[in-house]
Amino acid sequence: MSETPVRVRFAPSPTGKLHVGGARTAIYNWAFARANHGTFILRIDDTDPERSTEENTQIILRAMRWLGLDWDEGPEVGGDFGPYKQTERAQMYRDAAQRLWDEGKAYPCFCTPEQLAADREAAQARKDPFQGYQRRCRDLDPEEARARIAAGEPYVLRIKVPEDRGDVVVRDAVHGEVTFNARELDDFVIFRSDGTPTYNFATVVDDAAMQISHVIRGDDHLSNTPRQVIVYEALGAPVPTFAHISMILGADGKKLSKRHGATNVEEYRDAGYLSDAFVNYLALLGWSLDGETTIVPRDVLAREFSLDHVSKNPATFDPKKLDWIQAEYIRSMSDADFADKIMLPELVEAGLVGEGAEFDEAWVDALAAIVKPRTKMPADVVGVCAPVFATADTLEYDEKSVAKGLAKEGMGAVLDAAREALEALPAEDWTPTAIDAALEALPEQLDVKKRLVFQAVRVAVCGNLVSPPLGETMALVGRADCLPRLERARAMAL
Ligand code: GLU
């Protein structure tokens, strides 16, 4: 581990909701901080006033909380390096720019957009390999510059890329050494004529002031990095370690977008994905524990995450793998946990259960035990539970199941015999085992195939052929409601 304390930041721009790519960047920063006993900072990069909104900021904070990515410094929690919104840090950018200007490391440029365009065209015409800013204002007499500013002429502030800078080598923890030619960097703008800082400037002022040790972000920012290195050097601040993570692609190899389906974190939350499963899945998009393990719980991720296991190849978003991981997380929950966190909330939401309704714990556990293996997404719960929460009057019969299991010659006799056998069971014996045993005796007694007997009773009691194990379901429905269901179904049987 390095000696400087690990301080990392996730710096979303609130120009939209939290995208899965942003969420993965946040997860890597969080996990890296946790694995290195460092500090995870959330900073809101809201310098684009036209596209940033407070509403998006709130959506991002909510998504971060849902993902369980607790931040040590940032909005709502504070910290020693705040404020944590760029719009509240304007004075710091002005001070830093003024300092560079005073030190001769930045200068005002008065070139108009027309002048810049003409210079570019001329460079193209003479086939100059460098077509960037021609440094017209770099050596303006400071007196003249002051006079023009005093006269109200608009200007931007440009950084002086040192003449002798040579190549800028970015040492990236994912991409290795990436070399950029300093001459091609231009004397780029650090402050616009409207008095706002550019991204490359504000980000570095903040990252330096917040003592960020590692910048982990999407590799769409790799090309900005040499410019940022120049700013660090001008400010006299140590350059952090960079780690640029690959893009996320859709199945067709194109950058993940709406065309591929849901791309915002909240859409996954609303669809019923578990936060733990979703974080596990996103963590694997470009990182692996050992090249094969698929289930990496949050605590393992927070302990084992390392940048050496981050791949520089683009990752492909695979909804099937996400679903598989989700099913694994549900399967590994205890019945009680499943009941509390998934089943009961779903039932309340569907109106099958009243808020705060009291249930016998054993009854809830028995229900959870048969519902859990049949649940891939929380919304599945309602369908699986419907027969249990129906009554003999409200139970809905699936037409196809009735045709297949009930409306057949001989099934009337099966239901009569089933009712008789079940009526003989006293209420205190109304258990899955006793119910199954009572039904088991029927095939021989009636000389009807066992499958047909069970099908008929299943459709009569549950309304369909796909419900959970019959004895268990009937025990949960209760004797008082099972017998009337058999009676009601009798009319449909032949
Ligand atoms: N606000 C920038 C973005 O959302 C941050 C980039 C960075 O991490 O430097 O892309």
Side-chain angles (χ1 to χ4, degrees), residues 7-10 39-44 57 61 64-65 70-85 88-89 210:
R7 291 179 55 84
V8 291
R9 83 316 190 259
F10 173 54
T39 304
F40 174 51
I41 297 153
L42 177 62
R43 184 177 75 220
I44 302 297
T57 300
L61 297 187
M64 291 288 288
R65 273 191 224 101
D70 51 317
W71 54 99
D72 308 307
E73 294 176 24
E76 292 175 6
V77 306
D80 294 341
F81 298 81
Y84 294 92
K85 279 188 178 181
E88 292 168 15
R89 300 175 65 84
M210 294 179 178

Side-chain angles (χ1 to χ4, degrees), residues 88-155:
E88 292 168 15
R89 300 175 65 84
Q91 191 58 44
M92 299 189 204
Y93 310 132
R94 278 196 290 273
D95 291 347
Q98 187 64 52
R99 180 157 74 79
L100 295 189
W101 191 349
D102 293 345
E103 292 173 0
K105 294 172 179 165
Y107 60 91
C109 163
F110 302 90
C111 294
T112 59
E114 294 74 24
Q115 175 75 67
L116 296 173
D119 283 351
R120 207 165 23 248
E121 268 169 40
Q124 270 163 10
R126 63 173 189 271
K127 301 214 164 35
D128 189 334
F130 178 70
Q131 301 186 359
Y133 177 64
Q134 300 290 334
R135 300 185 168 177
R136 276 178 186 279
C137 298
R138 185 167 163 133
D139 299 315
L140 269 189
D141 172 40
E143 278 307 312
E144 183 194 334
R146 253 193 299 279
R148 289 170 75 172
I149 292 169
E153 195 172 332
Y155 68 100

Side-chain angles (χ1 to χ4, degrees), residues 9-15 25 29 43-47 86 199-200 203-204 207 215-218 220-221 224 228 242 244:
R9 83 316 190 259
F10 173 54
S13 299
T15 52
T25 302
N29 275 284
R43 184 177 75 220
I44 302 297
D45 279 6
D46 55 353
T47 39
Q86 288 194 322
Y199 157 71
N200 280 325
T203 290
V204 174
D207 288 344
V215 170
I216 305 169
R217 62 184 171 198
D220 48 334
H221 286 295
N224 286 319
Q228 295 185 10
F242 292 99
H244 286 95

Side-chain angles (χ1 to χ4, degrees), residues 41-345:
I41 297 153
L42 177 62
R43 184 177 75 220
I44 302 297
D45 279 6
D46 55 353
T47 39
D48 181 345
E50 244 131 71
R51 295 167 57 228
S52 299
T53 67
E54 179 55 27
E55 192 192 347
N56 285 332
T57 300
Q58 290 309 321
I59 290 172
I60 292 170
L61 297 187
R62 207 159 55 226
M64 291 288 288
R65 273 191 224 101
W66 178 72
L67 292 166
L69 305 178
D70 51 317
W71 54 99
D72 308 307
E73 294 176 24
E76 292 175 6
V77 306
D80 294 341
F81 298 81
Y84 294 92
K85 279 188 178 181
Q86 288 194 322
T87 42
E88 292 168 15
R89 300 175 65 84
Q91 191 58 44
M92 299 189 204
Y93 310 132
R94 278 196 290 273
D95 291 347
Q98 187 64 52
R99 180 157 74 79
L100 295 189
W101 191 349
D102 293 345
E103 292 173 0
K105 294 172 179 165
Y107 60 91
C109 163
F110 302 90
C111 294
T112 59
E114 294 74 24
Q115 175 75 67
L116 296 173
D119 283 351
R120 207 165 23 248
E121 268 169 40
Q124 270 163 10
R126 63 173 189 271
K127 301 214 164 35
D128 189 334
F130 178 70
Q131 301 186 359
Y133 177 64
Q134 300 290 334
R135 300 185 168 177
R136 276 178 186 279
C137 298
R138 185 167 163 133
D139 299 315
L140 269 189
D141 172 40
E143 278 307 312
E144 183 194 334
R146 253 193 299 279
R148 289 170 75 172
I149 292 169
E153 195 172 332
Y155 68 100
V156 299
L157 214 53
R158 290 183 182 272
I159 198 159
K160 256 184 205 168
V161 177
E163 210 69 77
D164 54 356
R165 179 57 184 76
D167 287 346
V168 178
V169 179
V170 174
R171 286 184 189 79
D172 191 281
V174 176
H175 291 261
E177 282 193 357
V178 191
T179 304
F180 298 86
N181 183 339
R183 242 170 320 166
E184 297 195 350
L185 297 179
D186 275 1
D187 281 354
F188 54 94
V189 175
I190 58 172
F191 249 82
R192 302 185 190 91
S193 56
D194 65 1
T196 59
T198 56
Y199 157 71
N200 280 325
F201 187 65
T203 290
V204 174
V205 169
D206 287 346
D207 288 344
M210 294 179 178
Q211 296 174 15
I212 298 303
S213 62
H214 295 74
V215 170
I216 305 169
R217 62 184 171 198
D219 66 8
D220 48 334
H221 286 295
L222 183 56
S223 59
N224 286 319
T225 307
R227 290 194 175 83
Q228 295 185 10
V229 169
I230 296 291
V231 179
Y232 280 105
E233 290 173 353
L235 293 172
V239 178
T241 300
F242 292 99
H244 286 95
I245 52 185
S246 65
M247 275 198 305
I248 301 180
L249 307 178
D252 56 0
K254 304 226 169 81
K255 197 174 170 207
L256 190 70
S257 72
K258 276 274 156 232
R259 273 180 307 124
H260 300 102
T263 50
N264 294 321
V265 170
E266 58 179 20
E267 293 174 275
Y268 288 90
R269 181 201 61 196
D270 294 347
Y273 286 94
L274 302 177
S275 158
D276 286 348
F278 192 61
V279 167
N280 184 153
Y281 176 67
L282 288 187
L284 296 180
L285 282 176
W287 170 83
S288 83
L289 182 64
D290 51 16
E292 54 187 26
T293 307
T294 313
I295 299 301
V296 184
R298 195 184 284 279
D299 56 327
V300 177
L301 179 67
R303 206 169 50 234
E304 304 292 342
F305 183 85
S306 84
L307 293 172
D308 335 329
H309 286 216
V310 173
S311 161
K312 63 176 166 202
N313 301 323
T316 303
F317 193 89
D318 176 1
K320 283 210 189 77
K321 187 163 170 189
L322 169 61
D323 286 352
W324 185 86
I325 290 178
Q326 160 94 350
E328 283 299 302
Y329 272 81
I330 291 185
R331 213 197 327 266
S332 68
M333 288 173 109
S334 68
D335 290 346
D337 231 20
F338 173 79
D340 287 345
K341 296 196 177 125
I342 298 186
M343 189 177 78
L344 292 173

